[in-house]
Amino acid sequence: DSGVTQTPKHLITATGQRVTLRCSPRSGDLSVYWYQQSLDQGLQFLIQYYNGEERAKGNILERFSAQQFPDLHSELNLSSLELGDSALYFCASSVSGRPYEQYFGPGTRLTVT
Amino acid sequence: AQKVTQAQTEISVVEKEDVTLDCVYETRDTTYYLFWYKQPPSGELVFLIRRNSFDEQNEISGRYSWNFQKSTSSFNFTITASQVVDSAVYFCALSEAGGNAGNMLTFGGGTRLMVKP
């Protein structure tokens, strides 16, 4: 158990819908990262937050957004969902903004039908 | 831009064999960090090791060992006396030290290791 929690574990929704994925980092970790794992794209970095501020952006679609709240939990919002958004979404946290090891949550498996 | 290549998509071995997973990386930074993660069939990503670019010492942890060679931009992972429980997908990853890149991990495509009894 990494100490990072993600909810829900599974999500099935229809095209065009909007969903919110939630992540709680390990106690004391200030940095939260979101990654997408799909069969065709592999594991891809989406976005990083550090202590409430956006720190870096990767290949995140405009339909996707995220935020980190004062209690350091983070939410990833996915809207206007398409079939191709079906993937495993991971949240990770690390001690600070520096590249220490990132500990991953169990992931949220999103299926868009 | 940073890139990680794991040329072996799938490896199959018989229990107790040694196996090496290859990882080659590209980066323009002189300071960077390399990682290995394990993804068992249950799906979670488990951190195995982190090395920084200034530390080329090989590392051994039980049956696991890592060989970092800057001259060939490689960070290979060897499992000695493999066991069925080692069956998983293994990912090599790279993080550059900072700047505007944040601390994102760039992952290789992964190597699926199957250890047969």
Side-chain angles (χ1 to χ4, degrees), chain A residues 1-6 23-26 29 31-33 35 90-95 100-106, chain B residues 35 37 45-50 105:
Chain A
D1 186 346
S2 66
V4 179
T5 60
Q6 288 187 250
C23 167
S24 293
R26 294 187 317 158
D29 286 0
S31 240
V32 169
Y33 310 77
Y35 292 86
F90 285 107
C91 168
S93 73
S94 68
V95 170
Y100 294 117
E101 49 266 30
Q102 296 178 23
Y103 290 91
F104 283 75
Chain B
F35 303 79
Y37 283 84
L45 280 165
V46 179
F47 166 79
L48 295 179
I49 189 171
R50 175 182 69 107
L105 291 174

Side-chain angles (χ1 to χ4, degrees), chain A residues 32 37 43 72 79:
Chain A
V32 169
Q37 185 177 29
L43 259 167
L72 300 178
S79 61

Side-chain angles (χ1 to χ4, degrees), chain B residues 67-87:
Chain B
N67 184 323
F68 176 28
Q69 294 201 340
K70 278 177 89 167
S71 59
T72 55
S73 297
S74 65
F75 186 42
N76 296 337
F77 173 29
T78 297
I79 301 174
T80 303
S82 59
Q83 299 176 1
V84 172
V85 293
D86 296 327
S87 297

Side-chain angles (χ1 to χ4, degrees), chain A residues 4 6-7 10 23 33 35 38 43 56 58 60 62-63 68 74 76 83 85 89 91-92 96 110:
Chain A
V4 179
Q6 288 187 250
T7 55
H10 300 279
C23 167
Y33 310 77
Y35 292 86
S38 62
L43 259 167
I60 187 166
E62 284 191 16
R63 302 183 284 107
Q68 185 179 27
S74 178
L76 179 66
L83 295 177
D85 298 327
Y89 291 84
C91 168
S96 74
L110 173 66

Side-chain angles (χ1 to χ4, degrees), chain A residues 43-90:
Chain A
L43 259 167
Q44 282 200 106
F45 167 73
L46 295 177
I47 197 164
Q48 177 196 359
Y49 278 83
Y50 174 68
N51 203 20
E53 303 277 331
E54 182 184 303
R55 176 79 194 275
K57 249 182 176 176
N59 295 326
I60 187 166
L61 299 171
E62 284 191 16
R63 302 183 284 107
F64 295 1
S65 65
Q67 53 185 327
Q68 185 179 27
F69 294 87
D71 67 351
L72 300 178
H73 92 270
S74 178
E75 292 180 357
L76 179 66
N77 300 296
L78 315 176
S79 61
S80 302
L81 285 167
E82 302 175 0
L83 295 177
D85 298 327
S86 296
L88 191 50
Y89 291 84
F90 285 107

